[in-house]
Amino acid sequence: MTNTKSDHPCNGCAFYQGSVWQPANAAGLSALKRGFARKDLAAEQALYAQDDENRGVFCVSSGLIAVRTHHSDGTSTLIKLAYPGDIIGYRSFLAGARHKTEARALVPSRVCIVAHRDVSHVIGANPTVLRRIAGRCVTEIDSNHARIIATSVKPNRDRLRDLLLELMERHGHRDGDRLSMHLPLSRTDLADLIGVRPETMSRLFRQLKDDGTLTVSGREIGMAVTAPSRPPEAGLLPRRHSQSRDTRRSSRVATAVRDHGHPAIPTDR
Amino acid sequence: MTNTKSDHPCNGCAFYQGSVWQPANAAGLSALKRGFARKDLAAEQALYAQDDENRGVFCVSSGLIAVRTHHSDGTSTLIKLAYPGDIIGYRSFLAGARHKTEARALVPSRVCIVAHRDVSHVIGANPTVLRRIAGRCVTEIDSNHARIIATSVKPNRDRLRDLLLELMERHGHRDGDRLSMHLPLSRTDLADLIGVRPETMSRLFRQLKDDGTLTVSGREIGMAVTAPSRPPEAGLLPRRHSQSRDTRRSSRVATAVRDHGHPAIPTDR
DNA sequence: CGGAGTCTTGAGGGCACTCAAAATCTGTGG
DNA sequence: CCACAGATTTTGAGTGCCCTCAAGACTCCG
């Protein structure tokens, strides 16, 4: 059982270096090869459904996968967008529980699959793999925190602008001094991602159109390359919802300073 | 270097069985003991500050720790409450980056510390430790998702009620047919946790008081033991913000059904 | 050309935010 | 024990954002 890099099923993948499977070797590699499969998904096709048993860990190879949670009232929340190089299904795998989310392709996509039992073997054979998966967890936690914070600190208009800028980075192409892209998501999905109703999404688009931030025609979006997030008015700091003056900035900070004379972590071991 | 369970620094801790360090043995144990320390925190004292270097992984032994993020405008968001048995600081450890949050005791607390370099050794010596830490990551991800969903699906009043019920489980004591507790958090902190302004928090409290859900006197909260979350009016399903009839439940579900004839994961490997 | 689905627009209302000020609580010193 | 300063909490007034309901416009297809 010799193994060289060229034996690795992820070799040749553009994301090989950063792949969570990249560290696999020796015994790990054979398990990895055993459990490995590829799968092509049509647009709108589901990779797994909410409440499904976990069948393995998936790595997005191309395309775009939406990870959603459906609620009992028929609405849904778009939890995240999985791009090539991202892995999904690991939450359910690590928890040893059913999927709490649904994964569905937004555009024709390809994913690589490592079957459930073989993931365990690969991890058992090579701890570094788990280290990398943990790294992905941390990334996920970070982005969740960012989203929680954004929700409570920024108005929806700003959040939509930020989202469109992110999408532009991935899907946009430069055209003179303008960026443009074909949106990979429906308005409804955008609304789910921001956490507003579709009607509100429509109105947010109009606001951004009106203040000149972007041009819209169906799913074709354009924005000036230089003006990332400046509504023509005055420049304002990341204030909390609408503008306001600099009252506050006192209590918690002051508390931190007085702090009963305890410096943060004196490390008195 | 013999090691028995009684050698384990966490032995004797009420959370020993579930501890992320519990699997440590042999080489891992010696590293664990080397890096181990305890620390008592006064109320309001910080364990680590935002942007601090990671000094290790902390396990809450007693008390209550608030994990916050401070924003540039002086506001802050309370990310989570860490109870005894919870570990904190692992995000920063796994990412190999500075803390993105601040950890501060809400009440007099005790934490156990495993110093940074020794965490690496323990993990290196015993992969199961990392498996458990990954499990904590998953728990964190789940609770983040729950919060993201709650934010976009439930009105603030309901979220406050849910939060108070959770707190009641941890801090409440039964007194006849009433539950009561002393809130471990200020109104401001509660507001940060729900994602509203303190004034709004005050008004939410009044609503819950008015509709009979709870009694309030300063930080003393009381609620009937039998009525977990029922405003005296009609029973309503988990509808999205305020009541409404059962329009919708069509688009996405319908989409899932037609689905171009692709069943979810045909597993055509 | 007629749906079906998606997106937009309009009307009306409730909730939460901001600003401002009063009220209450807490700890300290006389 | 009371007075007082500082901090926290509550209340009031006004406004804007976002939601719901409802209907119209647009698009894509068979």
Side-chain angles (χ1 to χ4, degrees), chain A residues 202-268:
Chain A
S202 179
R203 290 175 175 118
L204 292 175
F205 261 108
R206 197 146 85 84
Q207 289 178 32
L208 293 180
K209 209 159 45 176
D210 288 352
D211 74 11
T213 305
L214 47 82
T215 58
V216 181
S217 167
R219 287 196 175 189
E220 298 304 321
I221 308 289
M223 37 201 324
V225 68
T226 43
S229 68
R230 187 182 46 76
E233 354 271 277
L236 22 153
L237 294 179
R239 278 282 120 71
R240 184 195 173 87
H241 288 189
S242 92
Q243 72 283 20
S244 64
R245 255 160 305 97
D246 207 274
T247 22
R248 62 175 155 278
R249 158 168 294 294
S250 51
S251 74
R252 176 61 60 196
V253 175
T255 306
V257 171
R258 61 175 159 83
D259 200 2
H260 298 288
H262 302 289
I265 192 170
T267 319
D268 50 5

Side-chain angles (χ1 to χ4, degrees), chain A residues 110-129:
Chain A
R110 162 172 285 195
V111 296
C112 296
I113 307 174
V114 180
H116 184 94
R117 66 180 308 157
D118 298 300
V119 177
S120 301
H121 291 151
V122 175
I123 287 176
N126 199 316
T128 316
V129 171

Side-chain angles (χ1 to χ4, degrees), chain B:
Chain B
M1 192 188 290
T2 61
N3 67 291
T4 63
K5 177 190 279 192
S6 58
D7 261 2
H8 199 294
C10 303
N11 186 23
C13 178
F15 309 99
Y16 174 70
Q17 276 308 321
S19 164
V20 297
W21 311 117
Q22 183 268 325
N25 57 22
L29 246 193
S30 71
L32 183 61
K33 282 188 284 192
R34 188 172 351 114
F36 204 87
R38 284 177 235 279
K39 178 165 173 54
D40 287 305
L41 297 166
E44 292 294 295
Q45 187 181 355
L47 178 58
Y48 55 80
Q50 199 165 327
D51 297 322
D52 270 5
E53 209 79 64
N54 180 288
R55 305 206 189 193
V57 172
F58 306 90
C59 183
V60 181
S61 171
S62 72
L64 179 57
I65 310 286
V67 179
R68 298 192 173 80
T69 293
H70 292 284
H71 312 130
S72 54
D73 65 352
T75 59
S76 64
T77 303
L78 214 173
I79 299 288
K80 70 177 263 182
L81 297 174
Y83 282 95
D86 289 346
I87 58 170
I88 57 182
Y90 61 89
R91 194 214 62 81
S92 158
F93 173 82
L94 288 173
R98 287 168 177 272
H99 287 289
K100 288 189 172 169
T101 53
E102 167 206 271
R104 187 179 294 271
L106 287 171
V107 300
S109 306
R110 161 172 285 193
V111 295
C112 297
I113 308 173
V114 180
H116 184 94
R117 67 180 306 159
D118 298 300
V119 177
S120 300
H121 291 151
V122 174
I123 287 176
N126 199 315
T128 315
V129 171
L130 184 54
R131 194 70 163 76
R132 291 207 172 188
I133 292 177
R136 302 301 181 99
C137 287
V138 169
T139 305
E140 177 74 12
I141 290 172
D142 285 352
S143 77
N144 287 163
H145 284 183
R147 183 161 169 183
I148 288 170
I149 290 169
T151 303
S152 76
V153 162
K154 288 183 179 178
N156 290 338
R157 189 188 337 100
D158 293 3
R159 301 225 311 290
L160 175 58
R161 191 177 11 234
D162 292 349
L163 173 60
L164 289 175
L165 280 168
E166 272 175 46
L167 290 172
M168 196 59 93
E169 271 176 35
R170 301 226 181 226
H171 305 279
H173 47 92
R174 195 169 168 151
D175 180 26
D177 67 339
R178 289 196 71 73
L179 292 165
S180 57
M181 66 174 163
H182 180 82
L183 266 184
L185 302 104
S186 68
R187 303 290 149 111
T188 307
D189 284 338
L190 286 172
D192 279 356
L193 212 40
I194 299 282
V196 301
R197 316 250 70 202
E199 299 95 321
T200 301
M201 179 53 55
S202 178
R203 291 175 174 118
L204 291 176
F205 260 108
R206 197 145 86 84
Q207 289 178 33
L208 294 181
K209 210 159 44 176
D210 287 352
D211 74 13
T213 306
L214 45 83
T215 58
V216 182
S217 167
R219 287 197 175 189
E220 299 305 320
I221 308 289
M223 38 200 325
V225 69
T226 43
S229 68
R230 187 183 45 78
E233 357 270 277
L236 21 154
L237 295 178
R239 279 281 119 70
R240 183 193 173 90
H241 287 189
S242 92
Q243 71 283 22
S244 65
R245 256 160 304 97
D246 207 274
T247 22
R248 64 175 152 276
R249 160 173 291 294
S250 50
S251 74
R252 176 61 61 196
V253 174
T255 306
V257 171
R258 60 176 160 83
D259 200 1
H260 300 288
H262 302 290
I265 191 169
T267 319
D268 50 4
R269 339 180 348 193

